[in-house]
Amino acid sequence: MRTEGTLTRLDRVFARLDREPQRPAHIDVPTMSRHRFVLFSATLAFYLAIVWAVVTTSWLVRLDWQVMFFRPYQQWPQIHAFLDYYVVLGQRGPTAVMVAAWLGWRSWRQHTLRPLLTLATALLLLNVTVGAAKYGMGRLGPHYATVIGSNEMGLGGDIFPSGHTANAVVTWGILAYLASTARARRWLSAGSAVTSLGVGLTTVYLGTHWLSDVLLGWAAGLLILLALPWFEPLTARAEQEILALRDRWRDRWRERWRARRGRGATTAPAGTADLPVVLPPRSPAPQEAPVARETVAAGRAPRPPVYLSGPPASRAGRPVLAGSRGPAHPGRSSQGTTSTTARS
């Protein structure tokens, strides 16, 4: 029988998958240390050197043309099918969805929005910086080159720096940046470096980018990762605002739910909640007097019944005029004579 002191590796894995009761206090937030600032400055200098080497059509441009004429996709065609799928690891849409799913689970488990907000900040910086450089320099790719040996700058292209390479550096490197332990950070850093290196060389193999595009893409992605500590205060402030807004909405919905449940219920005065409620005896409802219905409207004589054939049985209260179809009643001949005389 296994006790809690002898946990297997599978038990430890499932324990890590469970949600922590509250936000961990040991989460390390990177800061812009002196070492990181030196790396940022060196990477920025390398970025500017690559741009200058391409603008001045130096030896780096000649190397680009030599690699293009070598046509690696023709030298090793057997790996072409595999690399067509491997290069997807540098596309922004699929990689962003996969990494966001993982970081979303991390946010739920640790009760914090920092992983998702850090990813959003990194992708925003990537789109702004790399996009501006692409359209600002306007370099054409190897498949659309016009003059052999030229740098193909300012011709309306959008491949310098390589977006696939920079995206691979940022999206996979953000996992190492957000790692909770130093060991996990080392392993994830090595994995993201190998992945981004493979994506960059794959674009050169397929002929979609120059070699200098890949070098500049690596530098652009690394600059974003190194600059993320500067945005940590803004991320923390955004997290506080979002959580405060969530709490306000949650309290508002709770109040509305309680109001709906308590609608129509009478509230007892304070101190009488436990006392029995005695209702007064119910008095019988007063009986209403029957209303007499008049069969004939007031001020109007009742009409005799109408017969289709034969004399009426009685016509009391109404004189019979001469010339009518029915014979006059006995005892009313004077009335009939008077009426006849009056008419003549």
Side-chain angles (χ1 to χ4, degrees):
M1 183 175 181
R2 188 173 70 251
T3 61
E4 294 183 358
T6 59
L7 296 177
T8 63
R9 181 176 298 180
L10 186 61
D11 294 332
R12 289 194 294 269
V13 170
F14 280 109
R16 290 183 178 182
L17 293 178
D18 293 336
R19 192 181 189 189
E20 299 183 8
Q22 58 184 359
R23 179 174 179 173
H26 66 277
I27 296 180
D28 183 22
V29 178
T31 58
M32 185 57 73
S33 61
R34 180 179 299 179
H35 176 69
R36 184 181 289 269
F37 184 78
V38 170
L39 287 178
F40 180 84
S41 302
T43 306
L44 181 59
F46 179 76
Y47 184 97
L48 297 176
I50 295 296
V51 174
W52 178 256
V54 173
V55 170
T56 57
T57 316
S58 65
W59 60 270
L60 185 57
V61 176
R62 293 193 296 270
L63 180 61
D64 288 339
W65 282 96
Q66 290 175 3
V67 174
M68 193 271 287
F69 284 132
F70 183 70
R71 290 182 175 86
Y73 57 90
Q74 293 182 358
Q75 302 295 329
W76 302 286
Q78 59 274 11
I79 61 174
H80 195 287
F82 169 74
L83 293 181
D84 276 339
Y85 291 100
Y86 182 81
V87 78
V88 178
L89 294 177
Q91 290 185 359
R92 195 160 305 167
T95 56
V97 171
M98 290 186 289
V99 174
W102 171 260
L103 295 181
W105 175 80
R106 285 276 307 274
S107 297
W108 172 83
R109 182 174 181 268
Q110 297 179 350
H111 304 269
T112 175
L113 296 177
R114 178 174 170 263
L116 288 177
L117 293 177
T118 304
L119 175 64
T121 303
L123 293 180
L124 180 61
L125 292 175
L126 177 68
N127 290 332
V128 172
T129 57
V130 176
K134 278 175 174 290
Y135 292 103
M137 289 181 276
R139 190 183 188 188
L140 293 177
H143 293 311
Y144 304 97
T146 56
V147 180
I148 297 176
S150 66
N151 56 13
E152 303 297 322
M153 297 282 286
L155 299 178
D158 57 349
I159 54 100
F160 186 64
S162 171
H164 276 70
T165 306
N167 183 73
V169 173
V170 171
T171 51
W172 302 115
I174 201 72
L175 299 179
Y177 178 82
L178 294 171
S180 302
T181 61
R183 181 181 179 183
R185 187 177 295 110
R186 287 194 299 268
W187 280 102
L188 291 173
S189 298
S192 61
V194 171
T195 303
S196 58
L197 178 65
V199 169
L201 294 180
T202 299
T203 59
V204 176
Y205 169 86
L206 297 174
T208 57
H209 280 286
W210 306 100
L211 182 60
S212 57
D213 299 341
V214 175
L215 295 176
L216 196 65
W218 284 332
L222 188 57
L223 282 175
I224 294 173
L225 290 179
L226 292 174
L228 282 179
W230 279 331
F231 296 90
E232 286 293 344
L234 180 62
T235 301
R237 188 180 305 172
E239 181 183 8
Q240 294 177 359
E241 293 293 335
I242 293 175
L243 293 179
L245 180 63
R246 181 203 62 180
D247 295 339
R248 288 196 297 269
W249 278 97
R250 183 176 57 188
D251 296 340
R252 185 177 303 176
W253 280 107
R254 285 179 178 177
E255 291 178 0
R256 289 183 180 179
W257 176 252
R258 291 172 182 173
R260 289 179 181 178
R261 293 185 61 182
R263 185 179 299 173
T266 58
T267 57
T272 60
D274 298 333
L275 299 179
V277 179
V278 180
L279 298 178
R282 187 175 180 181
S283 58
Q287 297 183 358
E288 298 180 355
V291 179
R293 297 182 178 180
E294 298 181 359
T295 55
V296 182
R300 182 179 179 182
R303 292 185 178 182
V306 179
Y307 296 93
L308 297 179
S309 61
S314 173
R315 302 185 66 176
R318 184 176 181 182
V320 179
L321 303 178
S324 60
R325 292 184 179 181
H329 290 277
R332 295 185 180 180
S333 57
S334 59
Q335 295 179 358
T337 305
T338 308
S339 300
T340 306
T341 307
R343 288 185 178 182
S344 61

